[in-house]
Amino acid sequence: MTELQTLIEEIPKYQPGADLDVLTRAYRFSEASHQGQQRASGEPYLSHPLAVAHLLVDFKMDVTTVTAGLLHDVLEDTGATKDELEREFGQEIANLVDGVSKIGKLAFSSREERQAENFRKMLVAMARDLRVLMIKLADRLHNMRTLDYLPPEKARKIGQETLDIYAPLAHRLGMAKVKAELEDLALRTLHPEAYVDLQRRVAKRRLEREAEINQVIAILERKLTEVGIEAQIRGRPKHFFSIWKKMHDQGREFDEIYDLTAVRVITSSVRDCYGTLGIIHSLWKPVPGRFKDFIAMPKVNMYQSLHTTVIGPKGDPVEIQIRTWEMHKIAEEGIAAHWLYKEKKAGKDKLDESLVWLRQLIETQQDMKDPREFMDTVRVDLFPDEVYVFTPKGDVKALPESATPIDFAFAVHTKVGEHCVGAKVNGKLVPLRTRLRQGDIVEIVTSPNAHPTRDWLQIVKSTRARSKINQWLKVEERARSIELGRELFEREAKKYRLNANAILGGDDARKVAAELGFPGVDDLLAAIGYGKSSVHQILNKLAPTAILEPPEKARTATSKAKAEQGVRIRGVDDLLVRFAKCCNPLPGDQIVGFITRGRGLTVHTRDCLTVAKSVLDRERLINVEWDVEEETSTRPVRIAVYIGRDRPGLLSEITGAISSQNGNITKAEVTVTDDRRGINNFVVEVADLEQLQGIMTAIREVPDVINVERVRGL
Ligand code: MN
C-alpha cells in the first residue's frame, strides 16, 4: 500500500486535480485479480503492475495511463474481461488495457531488419493511442530489469526483441533514457561476457580519462563565468551498448574508442548555446566534420542540441553536447515531455490528440536533410494510411490502407501476384477485392493458369501491384498482338497462295521491318495486331509481284467470307471472322473476339457462356466492334414463340408479324401440345439486333402469344 501511496503523492505534482480515486480502485482490482500469482522472482505478481505504474509516473503520464498501467496484465493473465474493465473503470482505461494486451500477443520472430521495421510500425498502428505504447515500453523496461529470473533461452528471446523492436521505438519517441537502458539490459542478456568485460574496461578507462574531462570542465566553467553565461557542465558516461555497437559496427578495438565520456553543457537560452560553442572552439581545436547543429535542424524525434568534438588538453578527442534545459528535457523524455503540454488541451478527440505530437513532427520536419530518415518518420507518422498483415509464416507486410489480397500477393512476390486466383484471410476464402484489415493473416491461392486482368487495376491500392500488373498486361498485350498480327498476316498471305512462314522467316521481312522503323519482325507483326499497320500494305511490300495479281482462290471463298464480314478489330481491315455457333451474335449485340491459333478470330456475344467459361484465358479475348457501314448482309437467328392457346389463323398472324418487319423466315417448326399450348420455332434472316427486336415486339402483340425468346445457337 505504501507503493500506492507514492503514486498518489506524485501524480498531483504534475497533474493537479487528477482523479486519484480511480487509481486506488484499480490497485484493489489488480491486487484481487492477480491474487496468488507470482513473478518468476517469487515476488507477488502485483509488484510488476505497480512497478510499471511507477515508471509511467516517472514518464509523467496522466492518471488514466498510470491506472491502465496498474491493470495492464489483468486481461492477459487473469479471468478479467474487457467488459468488466469498462464497467469498473470506463471505456478509455479498458481500451488502453486491451491495446496493451493485443500488442502482448504479437510474437516477433524474424531477425530481418525490414521485418523489424514493419513490426515496429504495426505496433504503432495497433496501439492507435500512443499511451498504449508508453505502457508497453514501461512494461518492457520492468521486464528487462527483472530478466535474470527467467530461463536463459526465454530471456535471450525477450532481449533480442527488445533490441529489434522496443529500443528503436523508444528512440523514435525521443525517449533517450529509456532507449539507453533497454539497450544496455539487452546487451547484458545477449552478450553477458562482452557486457562484463566492457563494464570493467570502461570503469578503468574512465578513471584514466577523468582527469582530462575534469580539466575540460574546469577550464570551460571559468571561461563561461567570465563572459557571463550561466551553464551546468557535466561529464556524461556513454551507455555500454553504444560503445559495444561502435566496436562491433566499425570493427574497432576498445582502445580505439575515445569518446567513452562526453561533456554536456546545459544553458538557459539558445543564444547561450551558440555562445558556448564559440568559446569551446576558441579554447580547443575542433575535429573537422564533427560539428552538427541539431538546434537549427532538429532530428525527427525533435531532438535538439549542438554537437562538436574537440582535441582536449591531453590531445585526445572530447565530445561535447550543448543544449538548453528545455531541449534537455525533450532529449531525455521525448514524447513523455510533451504529454503535459498535450494534457492541457482537454476535450479533443482522443486518437487525434495522440497523433498531434507525431503530426507536429511531419509539419516541422519537411526540410529534412536525410530523405531516408524523413521517409522513415513519414511512414510511422502516417500510420492510419497503412495496414499491417501477416504471411502464414508470421512475416509482416506493410500495405496501403484498403489494400486487397492482390496487393499482398504482389508484396510477397511478383510471381505470386501474377498467378493469384484466390485468397484466404484468417483461414477463410475471400474474394480478391476484399479489404485487408490490421493484423489479418493472409494466404494466397495461386494457379499456373491464372493471370492478372485489367480489372485488377481498379482493385489494387499499392503502387507496386499496380505497376507489376501494368507491366504484365503490356508484355501480354504485345504477345497477343504478335499472335494476332501473325494470324492476320497468314490469312492475307493465303489469299495469294503465299507461304507466310517462309516470308516472315526471310531476310526481306527483317529488311522491311527495319525500313518501317521496327526493331524486328515480331514488332512488325505486333503493329499489325495493334492495328497500327495495314497487313495488306506490308504484304505488298514483301511480295509485290504476287499482290499485283488479284487473289484467285480468294474469290471462291468470298461468298462465304462475305456473309461473315462486318466485324472490325481496332482498325484492321480485311479480316476474316467466324461467328460462334453457340451464341450466334447479331450486329448490335455486345461482342468479343476470341483468338484461336490456326483458326482465327471467332466472335461471341459478351454474355456467351463459352466466353464466361474461358475466363482464365482472358488474354485471348480481344475487343471487337461491329462495322455495319458496309453493304448490309443478313444473318439467321432462331426465335421461339410460346403459344397459350392454339387457334386457327394464329400461325399466319405470327408469320405476318415477322414479314411486317421485313424478316425473312427460312425455317419454321410448329409444336402444339394436347392442351393446345405450343412452341413455334422460327429461323429468321435479319440484318441486326434492332430488326430482331422489332420482329419480337410485333409477335408479342399477336393475341394468344405468351412470350417470345431469342434462342442462342441455330
Ligand atoms: Mn506486464
Side-chain angles (χ1 to χ4, degrees), residues 571-606:
V572 178
D573 304 325
D574 229 7
L575 171 69
L576 228 53
V577 294
R578 305 184 308 139
F579 292 104
K581 294 221 164 42
C582 48
C583 55
N584 188 36
L586 281 183
D589 276 332
Q590 297 272 310
I591 48 173
V592 288
F594 208 104
I595 297 283
T596 315
R597 186 100 180 88
R599 293 219 328 255
L601 181 76
T602 312
V603 176
H604 292 260
T605 61
R606 255 184 206 282

Side-chain angles (χ1 to χ4, degrees), residues 39 45 48-49 52 72-73 76-77 100 136 139-140 143:
R39 293 277 286 171
Y45 196 89
H48 169 62
V52 168
H72 83 269
D73 272 335
E76 220 167 327
D77 299 337
V100 178
K136 190 62 205 174
D139 177 43
R140 178 51 58 113
N143 283 339

